[in-house]
Amino acid sequence: MSFAKIYTRGLLGLHAPLIEVEVHLSQGLPSLTIVGLAEAAVRESKDRVRSAIINSGFQFPTKRLTINLAPADLPKDGSRLDLAIALGILIASGQLPENAAEHLEFIGELALDGHLRPTTGTLSIAIACQQAQHQLVLPTQNAQEASQLPDFQVFAAKHLKDVCDHLNQIAPLPQFDAVEPAASASYKFDLADVKGQLRPRRALEIAAAGGHSILFRGPPGTGKTLLASRLSSILPPLNMQENLEVASIYSIASAKHEFGHRPFRAPHHTASAIALVGGGSNPKPGEITLAHLGVLFLDELPEFDRKVLEVLRQPLESREIIISRASRQITYPANFQLIAAMNPCPCGYAFNQDSRCQCSPDTIKRYQNRISGPLLDRIDLHIDVPPLQAHELQDAQPAESSVLVRERVLKAYEQQMQRQQMANTSLSPKQLEQFAVLDSAAKNMLNMAQQRLNLSARAYHRVIRVARTIADIAQEEQIQTTHLSEALSYRGQMS
């Protein structure tokens, strides 16, 4: 046989489109040509594949070789196609059985001696492979990652010779079954570590229950970062589909992530716009995508470049980021929960007329104006975190733990799932009319508040969403004026 077809996968954002590797041997001077919009790493595979085949004990054909990567209009990048190309050559040259690779897909980079090296995006590829009802052969180093997928078996190989022995039915490759997820996630931090700060703790609980964004404002050392770092310990757990979605993102980004945990990302204030939203010539996910279904914590918010912060405005509304390049357009999910912290002024002490602050009113105004009004308008809860008194720090009575708070959060979250199948923060204005009905007293209160606080239409709806969450925590079906009053108290203007 002088023709072979092998299946593998590419990567396009979180998607893994099927790639057919077609290999044709013909008479002529020995050569190897790769066509099909292959980028540099794929074009270089011809040298890796040649050495790997020879060093695995096979013959590299001395004929004219043409390798087509279909579909031809899909850009192919990375070294994950090496294994499929090598097997296609061996089948086309008659060194492997003609139908040996039926219903199989192959990914893996080849070393010159034939060993398989790991690749990125394994989980996205495994999900697509499962949907196509194919089996997957991959490097041993990637097998544990792919085995996170339920009801899916993968074949793990260390060497090209191992894969060939499997296809020749000489020595079958070991199979990796799906691993059972941990029964419950363990958390590094606990809310019991936070002394006092009852109002910020309450706001954190509301944010966790409804998925709301929150801004902590106060002088240095009052516990803003401490509070933010404890949010993950009270959030509802991810379901299996959400876990796989998060794991796929980290697989593409080649970043570490503990399966079963919500992401917590805290980029430094020197981060660029591309680092935050993603990009590059071959677009990679940024911090807002790595924080998908988790927490994005921006400490020292005014210290971020204003242009960097402005790129958050659209993802906070659409829950996704679209990165456009001349050759492709990639859409990454960005359904993150924004937690921000800031000082009231450059020195940090312009809080309740603290005498230590030497900043002028103009300096304070310029500092606070680094955060635009449209961005502040998109943050649901604005909370002051005041300094603690000595007796609060010395209080030996333990604060409420994350376990107790998480129980209330889960009850409120489950109530939202039963009622509307989504968190309150995701409710559209139309859905609010159905699931967050206000009585006449609540409507009157909201009308007066809108005039007094100059609430925008966006802020108006965000107040109702927060009130809906407060009612859920109280296990109330109807939003009452007390719930709405508390929600309005979190929209105070910055001073």
Side-chain angles (χ1 to χ4, degrees):
M1 183 182 182
S2 60
F3 177 82
K5 182 187 290 186
I6 299 291
Y7 295 114
T8 184
R9 295 274 168 180
L11 281 177
L12 196 63
L14 292 184
H15 304 291
L18 182 69
I19 294 176
E20 296 180 3
V21 179
E22 299 174 332
V23 181
H24 179 235
L25 270 66
S26 60
Q27 299 298 325
L29 293 175
S31 64
L32 195 158
T33 305
I34 297 179
V35 298
L37 213 57
E39 297 186 1
V42 181
R43 293 196 302 270
E44 291 171 354
S45 68
K46 62 176 71 174
D47 299 312
R48 293 192 297 271
V49 167
R50 184 192 303 271
S51 297
I53 287 176
I54 294 172
N55 289 323
S56 299
F58 297 96
Q59 295 293 321
F60 192 85
T62 56
K63 292 184 178 181
R64 180 183 176 88
L65 267 171
T66 303
I67 299 173
N68 179 44
L69 307 177
D73 60 345
L74 176 72
K76 288 84 178 178
D77 61 353
S79 56
R80 71 184 67 84
L81 307 185
D82 287 4
L83 178 58
I85 291 173
L87 294 174
I89 292 173
L90 292 174
I91 292 175
S93 60
Q95 300 179 71
L96 286 178
E98 179 179 341
N99 298 322
E102 277 190 321
H103 306 297
L104 289 174
E105 295 183 18
F106 304 86
I107 61 166
E109 177 185 337
L110 285 172
L112 297 184
D113 62 356
H115 278 91
L116 290 174
R117 289 179 173 149
T119 65
T120 59
T122 305
L123 194 52
S124 293
I125 291 170
I127 292 171
C129 190
Q130 184 187 49
Q131 292 171 347
Q133 297 183 347
H134 288 171
Q135 293 178 309
L136 182 62
V137 179
L138 42 57
T140 302
Q141 298 96 317
N142 291 127
Q144 195 67 33
E145 182 181 337
S147 65
Q148 297 175 41
L149 187 62
D151 304 320
F152 186 63
Q153 293 180 330
V154 297
F155 294 99
K158 296 181 179 179
H159 197 279
L160 174 60
K161 185 69 166 59
D162 297 337
V163 180
C164 294
D165 288 344
H166 176 79
L167 298 180
N168 280 319
Q169 298 183 351
I170 297 173
L173 290 171
Q175 291 189 14
F176 275 70
D177 295 326
V179 294
E180 289 293 329
S184 60
S186 58
Y187 300 97
K188 184 179 179 181
F189 301 115
D190 195 288
L191 205 54
D193 302 332
V194 181
K195 297 279 188 180
Q197 304 296 12
L198 297 182
R199 181 170 166 81
R201 284 173 61 103
R202 167 68 173 174
L204 201 69
E205 180 179 338
I206 295 169
H212 304 290
S213 53
I214 185 170
L215 171 64
F216 290 124
R217 174 179 173 269
T222 55
K224 302 185 294 295
T225 303
L226 193 71
L227 282 160
S229 62
R230 270 67 184 165
L231 176 60
S232 297
S233 67
I234 62 173
L235 288 173
L238 296 170
N239 59 38
M240 179 54 70
Q241 184 62 37
E242 291 171 333
N243 268 316
L244 293 173
E245 197 171 339
V246 171
S248 296
I249 292 170
Y250 278 79
S251 176
I252 290 169
S254 301
K256 291 184 178 180
H257 171 69
E258 191 170 352
F259 194 81
H261 285 69
R262 288 186 182 268
F264 184 90
R265 305 295 298 186
H268 193 259
H269 61 256
T270 56
S272 66
I274 289 179
L276 212 58
V277 302
S281 57
N282 181 24
K284 297 292 184 183
E287 290 291 339
I288 64 173
T289 298
L290 293 172
H292 179 60
L293 297 176
V295 178
L296 178 68
F297 176 46
L298 302 183
D299 202 2
E300 306 296 346
L301 188 65
E303 300 300 332
F304 282 82
D305 187 276
R306 181 168 176 140
K307 292 181 179 178
V308 173
L309 291 179
E310 292 306 291
V311 302
L312 293 175
R313 285 160 57 174
Q314 184 263 339
L316 278 170
E317 294 287 337
S318 65
R319 306 292 180 176
E320 64 180 15
I321 182 70
I322 301 174
I323 304 172
S324 297
R325 293 294 180 265
S327 61
R328 70 190 79 178
Q329 187 179 76
I330 304 292
T331 300
Y332 284 120
N335 186 11
F336 59 92
Q337 191 168 351
L338 176 63
I339 308 297
M342 64 174 289
N343 296 326
C345 69
C347 77
Y349 296 107
F351 191 87
N352 291 343
Q353 290 79 45
D354 194 318
S355 60
R356 290 175 293 178
C357 179
Q358 301 299 316
C359 302
S360 68
D362 286 343
T363 302
I364 295 174
K365 187 174 182 179
R366 281 196 303 271
Y367 183 76
Q368 294 184 352
N369 283 344
R370 293 180 186 177
I371 310 168
S372 70
L375 179 60
L376 284 174
D377 202 41
R378 287 169 166 81
I379 299 178
D380 298 322
L381 308 168
H382 300 183
I383 308 299
D384 284 339
V385 186
L388 290 172
Q389 302 299 317
H391 68 86
E392 293 178 289
L393 294 171
Q394 295 166 1
D395 188 1
Q397 185 175 357
E400 198 173 28
S401 68
S402 291
V403 173
L404 297 176
V405 177
R406 189 165 61 248
E407 287 179 0
R408 293 196 297 270
V409 167
L410 284 175
K411 286 181 181 179
Y413 182 75
E414 289 167 359
Q415 190 166 328
Q416 295 165 47
M417 292 299 107
Q418 292 173 3
R419 182 179 60 239
Q420 67 224 15
Q421 291 78 51
M422 66 180 72
N424 288 332
T425 190
S426 300
L427 290 173
S428 67
K430 188 71 175 177
Q431 291 169 323
L432 285 175
E433 295 176 3
Q434 179 181 357
F435 300 117
V437 180
L438 302 178
D439 59 23
S440 57
K443 287 180 179 178
N444 291 335
M445 175 184 289
L446 195 53
N447 290 340
M448 289 188 292
Q450 185 178 27
Q451 296 174 6
R452 185 174 300 175
L453 298 176
N454 294 319
L455 297 178
S456 67
R458 179 189 293 114
Y460 176 92
H461 289 125
R462 287 184 180 273
V463 167
I464 298 176
R465 292 187 188 103
V466 172
R468 177 68 270 176
T469 299
I470 295 171
D472 288 336
I473 293 174
Q475 296 293 294
E476 299 282 353
E477 278 298 323
Q478 181 71 35
I479 297 176
Q480 301 174 5
T481 54
T482 53
H483 306 143
L484 189 59
S485 177
E486 183 178 0
L488 286 166
S489 72
Y490 298 126
R491 294 296 303 190
Q493 302 300 305
M494 294 179 62
S495 57

